[in-house]
Amino acid sequence: QVQLVESGGGLVQPGGSLRLSCAASGSIFKISGMGWYRQAPGEEREVVATITTTGGSTNYADSVKGRFTISRDNAKNTVYLQMNSLKPEDTAVYYCNAEVLSWGPGEYWGKGTLVTVSS
């Protein structure tokens, strides 16, 4: 089995920063694409940022471009999301996603970490 565990969420004031981490563990042969998604109360889950296997290509939602940075450490099977200049509208549960080759290919999700931006 494969598990994804997010950490780093919390309460932060507008304009502040947080760094989210997501570590994958279990029977992993290879992790290809990874990403961060978020879901605000009453809203659908949306993509925030994605990163390819080697980290050579990243994509961001327009709403976070220039403020968020996704990165990964393949030696640690971990993906990060550096969030700067946070706004109240960034408040959501943030989920990690990964395409993992285990005993078979599969897409896995973490349970989420809550980010609250409020004064």
Side-chain angles (χ1 to χ4, degrees):
Q1 266 292 3
V2 175
Q3 296 85 35
L4 301 181
V5 179
E6 302 99 335
S7 60
L11 173 64
V12 62
Q13 292 187 343
S17 297
L18 281 176
R19 188 191 194 208
L20 305 183
S21 299
C22 172
S25 62
S27 301
I28 298 171
F29 297 130
K30 179 183 178 181
I31 303 176
S32 50
M34 303 185 81
W36 288 96
Y37 293 70
R38 68 185 181 186
Q39 187 168 17
E43 302 290 332
E44 293 188 353
R45 189 174 297 187
E46 63 176 0
V47 60
V48 175
T50 60
I51 187 167
T52 54
T53 306
T54 61
S57 180
T58 57
N59 284 286
Y60 297 91
D62 288 343
S63 59
V64 306
K65 281 181 181 177
R67 300 188 298 122
F68 291 10
T69 302
I70 188 171
S71 61
R72 63 190 289 172
D73 184 338
N74 287 338
K76 297 180 179 179
N77 288 336
T78 300
V79 63
Y80 306 96
L81 186 67
Q82 178 66 43
M83 305 186 295
N84 299 328
S85 302
L86 282 160
K87 305 175 180 180
E89 50 264 43
D90 295 318
T91 295
V93 177
Y94 284 70
Y95 297 91
C96 172
N97 172 274
E99 299 168 358
V100 180
L101 178 61
S102 181
W103 295 109
E107 183 180 26
Y108 294 86
W109 291 89
K111 293 183 178 181
T113 185
L114 177 63
V115 172
T116 303
V117 184
S118 175
S119 55

